[in-house]
Amino acid sequence: MSIKTIGIIMNGVTGRMGTNQHLVRSILAIREQGGVQLESGETLMPDPILCGRNEDKLRSLAEQYGVEKFTTDLEAVLADDYYQVFFDASGTPYRVAFLERAIAAGKHVYCEKPTAVDPAEAFRIAEVAEAAGVKNGTVQDKLWLPGIRAFLKLRDEGFFGRILSVRGEFGYWVFSGHDEDQPAQRPSWNYRQEDGGGIIIDMHCHWRYVIDNLFGEVTEVFTHAQTHLPERIGEDGEPYRCTADDSAYALFKTKEGVICQFNSSWDVRVRRDDLLTMQVDGTKGSAIVGLRKCWAQSLVETPRPVWNPDVDSPIDFYDGWEVVDPGTCDNAFKIQWELFLKHVACDGAFPWTLREGAKGVELAAKSWESHHAGSWVKV
Ligand SMILES: NC(=O)c1ccc[n+]([C@@H]2O[C@H](COP(=O)([O-])OP(=O)(O)OC[C@H]3O[C@@H](n4cnc5c(N)ncnc54)[C@H](O)[C@@H]3O)[C@@H](O)[C@H]2O)c1
């Protein structure tokens, strides 16, 4: 069977997401497995060129993973017809400008979320891509996590009856860097609004497509944002002022009337099953949806507690939950990459477009509007 190579410009790839999820676990993993199988019987083989500002960092990344090509000359690779796809995992504030140049050069574009900081810009770049007729996509990785695949299986089997509410808990303790031997485990830009940071712009983009796809279209939001820690220590060892929100307490309503409550925080210690858990309660059953696992309890397995705080509970509430098998699951980012590459090769639809990504940026903006107004805001 013939192999068709597809040149991919990978921009901002020396960062955390670019290196780990997109280069190593997606593109290189796809190369290792022998490419992506197309309906025609052909095989599509991604051929990446690493692109960025720092030649030394690019060279060392290329050498570490045996990637042949890297460049700091974006203009030249954009002008090269060999490269059909432009991918961006650089910082959020720079994304739109990069996408715009790539679209003008006729590339199909795929990128990390958030697609922009400002919803007007996010929708504008979606329109620019649509008008140019290029294929386009935004990372919506959570949709392919094993826990969520298992949930969708249950939902589609009618396990929940009518879904009533969702309690999402996301977060963990991100060290401020003030404590000895405990450096921060996330880049400092996340805590500076002027650099595209903040938990609302980061996580509400995810909650938008998660809620839309799992529980129904988001129609209203109520959010309180907080910067619990006013100062953190940066990569340079110096303290900086945190200008971005590090926690957000939010309620969302869906078209179907499902009430979804999501707490997102980088100042929370974890005593739950995973860094993200969503408790979904329905008339016929409930589930705890984690990143990799999903636990379910049906109506018949539901215990009958009686309120009595004077004695230890006779019921172990962790009993009576069954792990749901999601089936075989590959890396979530890799699955979405394969779908995008197939879409570029005209095999299959790709509904996770820049326009869908823009809706996430819109929800973040509406969340801020709600925070400032202290009231519900229509989406
Ligand atoms: N899908 C997800 O779950 C998820 C998770 C974390 C981050 N992200 C998103 O991915 C993006 C990158 O986040 P990260 O955590 O990898 O950050 P990071 O700071 O580790 O990486 C950012 C990269 O972009 C590069 N960069 C910055 N400005 C650039 C410019 N002008 N030109 C070229 N390269 C530039 C940096 O050198 C670095 O390599 C952000 O938009 C972030 O919101 C998505």
Side-chain angles (χ1 to χ4, degrees), residues 24-310:
V24 179
R25 295 197 193 130
S26 296
I27 296 302
L28 297 183
I30 291 170
R31 283 179 66 81
E32 205 149 289
Q33 78 185 9
V36 178
Q37 213 59 53
L38 298 179
E39 275 166 28
S40 62
E42 284 175 309
T43 299
L44 199 57
M45 185 63 80
D47 182 14
I49 181 162
L50 313 184
C51 189
R53 296 165 300 174
N54 185 321
E55 194 170 333
D56 293 339
K57 277 195 194 167
L58 290 165
R59 180 180 295 106
S60 106
L61 182 64
E63 279 170 8
Q64 185 180 355
Y65 293 106
V67 178
E68 279 167 28
K69 294 175 287 187
F70 63 90
T71 183
T72 55
D73 190 349
L74 179 59
E75 211 47 53
V77 273
L78 285 178
D80 188 341
D81 286 342
Y82 176 75
Y83 298 101
Q84 290 181 49
V85 172
F86 173 85
F87 169 72
D88 185 73
S90 74
T92 311
Y94 323 108
R95 182 112 60 239
V96 168
F98 280 129
L99 293 178
E100 200 150 18
R101 284 170 71 185
I103 294 165
K107 308 298 177 197
H108 303 298
V109 292
Y110 184 43
C111 66
E112 258 299 350
K113 51 54 66 181
T115 54
V117 183
D118 169 24
E121 274 292 276
F123 282 114
R124 187 184 68 79
I125 197 66
E127 270 159 33
V128 169
E130 288 159 5
V134 298
K135 309 267 171 87
N136 61 89
T138 307
V139 171
Q140 300 201 334
D141 53 291
K142 307 290 174 269
L143 296 177
W144 291 274
L145 286 170
I148 288 184
R149 296 324 285 179
F151 162 81
L152 289 170
K153 214 165 87 173
L154 285 178
R155 185 198 66 180
D156 296 346
E157 287 165 1
F159 172 82
F160 295 99
R162 184 164 63 86
I163 294 180
L164 308 171
S165 65
V166 180
R167 280 147 230 264
E169 277 292 340
F170 164 79
Y172 48 96
W173 191 262
V174 177
F175 287 90
S176 70
H178 288 98
D179 314 291
E180 214 182 332
D181 301 328
Q182 297 286 13
Q185 71 270 43
R186 305 187 82 238
S188 64
W189 65 261
N190 283 282
Y191 306 92
R192 290 188 298 264
Q193 196 146 35
E194 60 276 24
D195 292 334
I199 204 159
I200 288 183
I201 187 70
D202 188 4
M203 296 315 296
H204 284 203
C205 281
H206 286 298
W207 305 152
R208 176 68 195 254
Y209 69 78
V210 167
I211 297 173
D212 278 0
N213 284 278
L214 272 58
F215 313 115
E217 211 178 302
V218 178
T219 55
E220 273 181 83
V221 58
F222 185 95
T223 297
H224 177 79
Q226 191 82 40
T227 306
H228 286 299
L229 299 190
E231 184 189 272
R232 290 175 179 267
I233 306 294
E235 287 81 3
D236 57 1
E238 295 298 320
Y240 64 92
R241 209 164 68 78
C242 301
T243 50
D245 48 310
D246 56 20
S247 295
Y249 307 91
L251 282 164
F252 307 99
K253 285 184 200 165
T254 75
K255 215 173 184 172
E256 288 71 15
V258 181
I259 308 297
C260 306
Q261 178 178 349
F262 277 76
N263 292 324
S264 313
S265 179
W266 289 315
D267 315 299
V268 66
R269 295 188 175 83
V270 179
R271 192 169 195 267
R272 54 187 129 88
D273 291 298
D274 212 332
L275 299 191
L276 167 64
T277 54
M278 293 180 286
Q279 173 162 342
V280 183
D281 287 298
T283 50
K284 291 189 179 161
S286 296
I288 304 293
V289 186
L291 299 174
R292 301 195 51 83
K293 274 193 179 156
C294 174
W295 297 261
Q297 183 172 83
S298 67
L299 188 58
V300 294
E301 291 163 323
T302 306
R304 183 186 289 272
V306 176
W307 178 259
N308 183 359
D310 298 326

Side-chain angles (χ1 to χ4, degrees), residues 297-370:
Q297 183 172 83
S298 67
L299 188 58
V300 294
E301 291 163 323
T302 306
R304 183 186 289 272
V306 176
W307 178 259
N308 183 359
D310 298 326
V311 297
D312 286 343
S313 172
I315 303 169
D316 182 344
F317 293 106
Y318 287 97
D319 283 345
W321 293 86
E322 265 172 51
V323 175
V324 185
D325 179 10
T328 26
C329 289
D330 209 340
N331 175 285
F333 291 85
K334 175 167 173 261
I335 296 173
Q336 203 185 356
W337 259 108
E338 289 180 353
L339 291 168
F340 185 71
L341 292 177
K342 282 184 185 173
H343 177 59
V344 169
C346 297
D347 260 10
F350 194 85
W352 311 283
T353 54
L354 284 177
R355 185 164 291 279
E356 285 302 306
K359 287 187 187 173
V361 181
E362 178 193 40
L363 184 62
K366 297 279 181 187
S367 303
W368 274 112
E369 205 181 310
S370 161

